[in-house]
Amino acid sequence: MNIDWSKLGFAYMQTKSHIRYVWKDGKWDGGELVSEPYLNIHIAATALHYGQTAFEGLKVFRRKDGKLCAFRPEMNARRISASARRSCMAEVPEDLFMDAVRRVVKDNIDYVPPYGTGASLYVRPLLIGTGPQIGVNAANEYTFIILVTPVGAYYKGGLSPVRAIIFDDFDRAAPNGTGMVKMGGNYGAALLPHKIAHDKGFPVDLYLDAAEHKYVDEFGTSNFIAITKDGTYVTPKSHSVLPSVTNDGLQKLAAHLGMKVEVRKIPFEEIETFAEIAACGTAVVITPVNEIVRGDKVIKVGPREGAGPYLQKLYDNYTAIQWGEAADPFGWSVEI
Ligand SMILES: *Cc1c(COP(=O)(O)O)cnc(C)c1O
C-alpha cells in the first residue's frame, strides 16, 4: 500500500473492510468485518423504494501524541438513532455504534493517515431497511454498516472563502415537526439545486425557511453560522436545520473563548449586517462565505481573502483540539 496522503481529496477509496450488522426478529447480530464493498440486497427492500436510509459522518484523527481518536462519536450515535426513529427503522444502540467504530477503525488501521498530513479517516455509518415490503410500511429487517475511507486536508493553504446562492424556487425537502435528520431521502432532492449552483460557480447553496422564505435555515449540507459586528456568534433556530455536531462544538468553543452565542431566527435582511459568515460541518469544519446571491441581489460580507478574525480563531482552536495540539476541555476525543 502506497498512499500519497498529501494528495487525498474527499473521495471514496476502498479500504480493507467495512463492518456490517443485521437486525432481524427484534435484535442486532454480532456484526462482521467484510472485505467486499458490495451488499446483496432484496429488490423490494424499503431502502430502495421508500428511502428508509440514514447516514452519518465523523472523523478519526491520528493525533500529535500518537493516539488514535474519534471526534465526538457519541453525537453521531445519538443522531442516527434520531434519524431511525423519524423513519421507523430499528435504532442502533450507542454501545453497538461505538463498538462498531472501534472494530472497523482497528481493522483499517493502515488507512489512518499519519499526523502532520492534515488528512484523517472519514467514518461513514449507514442504516438501511433491507427487508422486503410492497406497501408503504417499515421493513422487518435492517442493515447497519460503517465504511471508512481516508480523506485529505480540505485547505492545503489557509481557509479560503466561497460564494453562496439562494434559490427561491427550490425548498429543502426536510420533514417538519420533529426536526431535520440525516435521512438519505432528504438528499436526493438536494442534488439538483446543488448541481445548478455548482454549474453557476457557487460551491454552496443556502436555504431559507420553506414556509415563508423569510429566515435563514442552512446550507445544502452544512449549517449557517455568522459573527455580528460586535463579535457575537449567531446561528439559526429552526426545526428544519440539521443539528450539526460541528456547530454545537463551535458554539461551546465560542462561549469558552468569551464570545456571546445566540441561537435565534435570522431574517434574510440581517445577512448584510454580519461581519463574518461561514458554512460549518465535519468534512471541512469551516468554509468562509463572502458573497451571497439571491436573484439580482448580491450581498458581500467579510474579507475577500481568507476568513475573518473570529472564524479563523474558532477554526484554529477547534482543529487544535482535534489533532491533540491543544487541551480538550470538553472531553471530545474518544480514544480508539
Ligand atoms: C451533515 C450535515 C450538516 C453538518 O453536520 P456535522 O455533524 O457538523 O457534520 C449540516 N447540515 C446538513 C443538512 C447535513 O446533512
Side-chain angles (χ1 to χ4, degrees):
M1 207 176 64
N2 209 343
I3 300 174
D4 186 349
W5 307 107
S6 67
K7 291 228 168 62
L8 283 178
F10 194 82
Y12 175 77
M13 171 192 290
Q14 194 178 328
T15 54
K16 185 178 166 215
S17 66
H18 68 275
I19 193 158
R20 184 189 295 181
Y21 297 73
V22 175
W23 184 93
K24 227 180 348 198
D25 303 323
K27 56 179 190 297
W28 288 104
D29 67 11
E32 58 171 343
L33 291 157
V34 181
S35 57
E36 275 278 297
Y38 294 96
L39 197 60
N40 192 15
I41 193 173
H42 196 286
I43 56 171
T46 58
L48 303 177
H49 296 252
Y50 307 127
Q52 254 199 323
T53 76
F55 67 98
E56 277 302 329
L58 64 142
K59 282 180 172 176
V60 166
F61 298 89
R62 170 78 67 191
R63 306 197 321 173
K64 193 178 181 189
D65 57 11
K67 283 185 182 162
L68 201 59
C69 289
F71 193 71
R72 306 188 79 188
E74 72 290 348
M75 297 290 279
N76 303 90
R78 288 173 206 153
R79 194 168 62 188
I80 203 166
S81 279
S83 297
R85 284 193 292 277
R86 185 63 181 83
S87 46
C88 296
M89 295 195 280
E91 286 182 41
V92 179
E94 197 170 315
D95 54 348
L96 185 150
F97 185 99
M98 301 297 274
D99 203 40
V101 171
R102 285 206 169 85
R103 284 169 72 185
V104 72
V105 171
K106 280 187 179 153
D107 199 49
N108 289 278
I109 200 119
D110 295 342
Y111 291 89
V112 183
Y115 173 75
T117 59
S120 55
L121 189 72
Y122 184 70
V123 176
R124 167 58 64 91
L126 176 72
L127 173 65
I128 61 175
T130 37
Q133 204 68 263
I134 277 302
V136 181
N137 289 304
N140 49 18
E141 185 192 301
Y142 294 89
T143 300
F144 174 59
I145 74 165
I146 301 185
L147 65 88
V148 295
T149 196
V151 294
Y154 187 81
Y155 297 109
K156 313 279 179 194
L159 273 69
S160 59
V162 301
R163 306 161 72 207
I165 187 166
I166 294 173
F167 294 115
D168 275 291
D169 43 357
F170 287 112
D171 286 320
R172 123 157 290 145
N176 283 348
T178 53
M180 171 76 176
V181 284
K182 243 174 153 72
M183 301 193 306
N186 288 341
Y187 294 82
L191 295 177
L192 180 60
H194 188 66
K195 180 181 186 311
I196 296 172
H198 244 258
D199 292 349
K200 288 177 184 271
F202 296 91
V204 289
D205 46 337
L206 178 60
Y207 286 91
L208 301 179
D209 77 282
E212 299 185 283
H213 290 201
K214 266 190 176 164
Y215 300 99
V216 177
D217 261 350
E218 65 169 329
F219 296 96
T221 55
S222 45
N223 274 187
F224 178 99
I225 62 175
I227 308 292
T228 63
K229 294 237 159 71
D230 60 5
T232 299
Y233 181 112
V234 290
T235 192
K237 184 178 181 64
S238 161
H239 60 66
S240 47
V241 166
L242 186 103
S244 153
V245 177
T246 314
N247 193 350
D248 177 84
L250 291 170
Q251 285 173 41
K252 292 188 162 86
L253 196 53
H256 185 74
L257 295 171
M259 293 168 68
K260 213 171 133 198
V261 176
E262 290 175 0
V263 183
R264 59 165 169 82
K265 286 193 182 245
I266 298 177
F268 168 74
E269 290 71 31
E270 193 181 352
I271 289 178
E272 59 196 359
T273 72
F274 291 136
E276 304 176 28
I277 292 178
C280 76
T282 296
V284 187
V285 183
I286 280 175
T287 305
V289 172
N290 66 4
E291 187 178 308
I292 295 178
V293 175
R294 181 184 187 187
D296 296 333
K297 196 170 168 68
V298 179
I299 305 165
K300 293 192 187 285
V301 166
R304 292 297 87 205
E305 305 289 332
Y310 285 94
L311 289 175
Q312 183 70 54
K313 186 172 176 188
L314 286 168
Y315 178 84
D316 291 343
N317 280 271
Y318 192 83
T319 53
I321 294 173
Q322 291 181 319
W323 293 113
E325 295 160 348
D328 178 10
F330 310 96
W332 283 337
S333 294
V334 175
E335 197 170 353
I336 294 293

